[in-house]
Amino acid sequence: MPKPTRAPQIDPLRLDDLQPGDPGELGPQRTVEGLRFVDAEVDGGDFSGATFSECELVGWHAHEASFRAARFLETRIERLNAPVFSAARATFRDVRIEGSRIGSAELYDAELHSLVVEQSKLGWVNLRAAQLRDVRFQGCSFDELDLGEATLARVAFEDCTVGELVVTRTTMQDVDLRGLDIRAIRSLEGLAGATIDSQQAAGLAEHFAAQLGLRIEDR
């Protein structure tokens, strides 16, 4: 008998006694800790390799800002607005992202560990070759979610929708897709290790049949 799908293991995030931060002091390779940055306009800024530890980033506008290889540790990100968000090879560990709007998210080769994304609208999310462990998406919508060649362990979706899910050569373990409304999917074999419900299975019947070379016809 198969074992139940294990849920993400996520510790509560506690941020106390944060001091006001000055966005003008941010930059590439810099480290900030215990600061709260509110309503920062950082469009086009370079924060590659920066580290945000025990911080709050609230109401940021970060169109085409570069967070390549940046590290977000024990940090809350709220109301982020970024039509283009560049964070390839970044690390998100013990992070909450809430009420945000991201158009195109470059997150390939990223590390997502103990991450919660809530009530956010996401366009094209590129998580190719990323590592996701103990991640929960709640109340999110995706236009396209590309998990090609990514490795997922204990990842769950709750009350989410996706226009197209790409799982080409994806490795999954304890991935709960029952709360994800999937409109289209690419590379069904990448679903091995995931959990879906009977309604989803019925909806994907034509995709499964096509992959097996079967035709479904009513008499």
Side-chain angles (χ1 to χ4, degrees), residues 27-202:
Q29 307 298 327
R30 295 190 181 179
T31 297
V32 293
E33 183 174 355
L35 298 178
R36 188 171 194 259
F37 300 90
V38 180
D39 296 333
E41 300 277 351
V42 296
D43 292 350
D46 183 7
F47 309 100
S48 53
T51 297
F52 299 84
S53 179
E54 298 183 49
C55 290
E56 281 190 341
L57 316 180
V58 181
W60 276 36
H61 291 262
H63 179 47
E64 293 188 337
S66 175
F67 294 92
R68 186 180 182 87
R71 301 174 76 233
F72 299 87
L73 313 174
E74 297 183 69
T75 289
R76 176 179 289 111
I77 300 171
E78 183 179 341
R79 291 185 287 109
L80 171 67
N81 189 330
V84 176
F85 183 69
S86 177
R89 299 186 174 90
T91 297
F92 295 80
R93 186 173 299 167
D94 296 310
V95 169
R96 304 292 184 276
I97 300 176
E98 305 167 2
S100 296
R101 296 177 64 89
I102 300 174
S104 172
E106 287 283 0
L107 292 165
Y108 60 84
D109 291 326
E111 178 188 336
L112 282 56
H113 180 203
S114 190
L115 168 70
V116 176
V117 184
E118 296 180 306
Q119 304 302 320
S120 295
K121 183 174 177 57
L122 309 162
W124 175 58
V125 179
N126 180 1
L127 280 164
R128 295 188 68 83
Q131 303 286 325
L132 289 75
R133 182 158 55 96
D134 294 314
V135 175
R136 179 181 293 117
F137 296 97
Q138 297 175 299
C140 295
S141 64
F142 304 84
D143 291 338
E144 180 179 335
L145 177 57
D146 189 346
L147 296 169
E149 301 182 13
T151 300
L152 286 69
R154 296 192 299 271
V155 176
F157 295 82
E158 300 175 6
D159 192 27
C160 294
T161 63
V162 61
E164 182 173 33
L165 178 65
V166 181
V167 286
T168 308
R169 294 185 295 278
T170 303
T171 301
M172 295 189 182
Q173 181 179 2
D174 292 308
V175 175
D176 193 343
L177 299 177
R178 289 174 291 183
L180 180 63
D181 181 5
I182 304 170
R183 309 294 169 81
I185 191 165
R186 198 186 310 169
S187 301
L188 285 171
E189 66 277 4
L191 288 178
T195 300
I196 61 175
D197 61 27
S198 57
Q199 185 174 356
Q200 288 173 309

